[in-house]
Every structure is written in C-alpha cells, then in structure tokens.
Amino acid sequence: MKKAFVVIFFWASFLVPAICVSSIASAAVKFSLIGGAVNSKPAVVNITTSYAAKLSYGGGFLFEIMMGKRVGFELGGLYLLRKFDATANSSTVTFESQIIQVPAVFRFHLSRVFSLGLGGFASSGIGNVKATAAGTSVNQSYGNSGIKNLDYGVLGSLGIGIPLGAKTTFIFDGRYQYGLSNVALNAAETASSFKHTDIIGFAGFMFGSTK
C-alpha cells in the first residue's frame, strides 16, 4: 500500500504537467519556479540519540490547476537537501540526504495575495546519505544509515503572492511537512519511530493569470 501511494504521486508529477503544458497560457493553469530554505529535524520515539535541525536548501516547480475562482489543485516536482545533527554519547554526526519530492495540495485563495494549502507529499531519497563527523565525511546507503529512502506525509502551506503584471506574480510559500511513514528500518524490533519533519520557505515567480 505504501509503495502504491508513492508510485501514484510520482506518476502524477509527470502526467499532469504533460497534460497542462499545452494550455499554460490560459487562466486555468499556473506554473511556478521556486527555491529557498529547508529546515529538517526528525521526530523520534524510543531513540536515545538527540537531533538538531540544520538549515539547507531546495527548489523546483509547481503546477496549479484552477478548479474554480478560489480553489486550485497543485502538483509539482521538488529537490530538497535534508540536513540535521545527531548527537549520541557526546559525539555529533551531521547527516545530509538528497530528496526528490512530489507535493499534492489543494490551495484555497483567500484573496489575490493570500492563500492556504492543505495536502500531502511523497518523496524518495536519491544517491547516498552523507555523514560528517570531526571534519571527515563518508557516503553510505540508506540501509546502512538505518532508514528507508521512501517517505510520505501531510503538509500545510501559507502562500503570499504579489502581482507584478497581468500574468506574473512574485510568490512566497511557507510550508510545514510531517512524515506519516516510520522510516526506521528496525522499527518492528525496537518499537522505535523515526519520522521526517520539515519547515520550508520558498520564494519565486508564478506565471499565469493574476485575476
């Protein structure tokens, strides 16, 4: 079921843009290019290691299909670099992982400037996990890091759009994401829980009607 959920999200990220790209100039579809800051920290249960968030970066694109005057459905493709410190026995290791994420959000436009988004996401880790301690870095697989590379969860978004013209808007998008998937590989044996949480601030440009 989890794998099916992730697969649907990823297929949607490719199919919807392909369908919409031919009508991007119309008022019904909006396209955004965004980038910004990512602050990640695991939420854990029955794990003695303490974690601290580290600031990183991310970016990508979003498609919003308007379903009415005030409601749109948003899909996209995002690259995120998750980064956090893990401290155990007075030793700190910084972990970095590259993520490809597909968000799916219902966006409610409260006015021409403000909007609220509610939805979910599916993500997959790419490459290896980078672990740095005492100035030395090593790359290791997700399995050797003790976590799964597939993840999904829920998200909330507060959007601010400043119209720059008839079809161009400068946007800011503040997001909070909470993973619903327990990505700890040994969860069943240890009754532990390791879930990703992210606070994200994106800025960029949206192309489409500002009416």
Side-chain angles (χ1 to χ4, degrees):
M1 178 63 71
K2 293 181 180 179
K3 289 185 177 180
F5 183 85
V6 173
V7 168
I8 290 172
F9 264 77
F10 275 93
W11 272 108
S13 71
F14 293 102
L15 291 176
V16 172
I19 294 171
C20 296
V21 69
S22 62
S23 58
I24 191 63
S26 72
V29 179
K30 300 178 181 181
F31 175 73
S32 302
L33 293 174
I34 54 175
V38 179
N39 201 48
S40 301
K41 180 182 178 181
V44 300
V45 175
N46 291 335
I47 296 177
T48 57
T49 302
S50 61
Y51 295 90
K54 299 276 285 186
L55 193 63
S56 189
Y57 58 87
F61 67 89
L62 299 171
F63 273 96
E64 183 181 1
I65 305 169
M66 297 306 296
M67 303 169 63
K69 188 175 181 180
R70 296 294 186 184
V71 181
F73 182 65
E74 183 180 273
L75 286 168
L78 303 175
Y79 167 86
L80 306 177
L81 181 65
R82 279 191 176 129
K83 189 174 182 179
F84 54 84
D85 285 341
T87 302
N89 300 321
S90 301
S91 178
T92 299
V93 180
T94 300
F95 290 96
E96 298 178 39
S97 57
Q98 301 178 79
I99 305 297
I100 296 297
Q101 184 181 100
V102 177
V105 177
F106 285 99
R107 186 162 296 279
F108 304 91
H109 294 269
L110 308 180
S111 67
R112 290 186 65 188
V113 176
F114 296 102
S115 67
L116 291 176
L118 296 173
F121 68 89
S123 61
S124 176
I126 57 175
N128 293 316
V129 177
K130 181 180 178 182
T132 303
T136 301
S137 298
V138 296
N139 292 317
Q140 54 194 30
S141 68
Y142 277 84
N144 289 337
S145 299
I147 59 174
K148 304 171 186 176
N149 69 322
L150 296 180
D151 183 27
Y152 63 90
V154 295
L155 71 85
S157 163
L158 172 62
I160 299 174
I162 302 173
L164 301 178
K167 291 185 178 295
T168 305
T169 304
F170 178 78
I171 59 173
F172 173 80
D173 188 351
R175 299 185 172 207
Y176 176 76
Q177 301 185 158
Y178 185 84
L180 298 178
S181 175
N182 184 359
V183 298
L185 286 176
N186 61 346
E189 294 81 4
T190 62
S192 61
S193 175
F194 187 108
K195 298 180 178 181
H196 292 293
T197 67
D198 307 290
I199 297 175
I200 303 173
F202 284 134
F205 294 94
M206 181 179 71
F207 305 96
S209 176
T210 60
K211 295 181 181 180

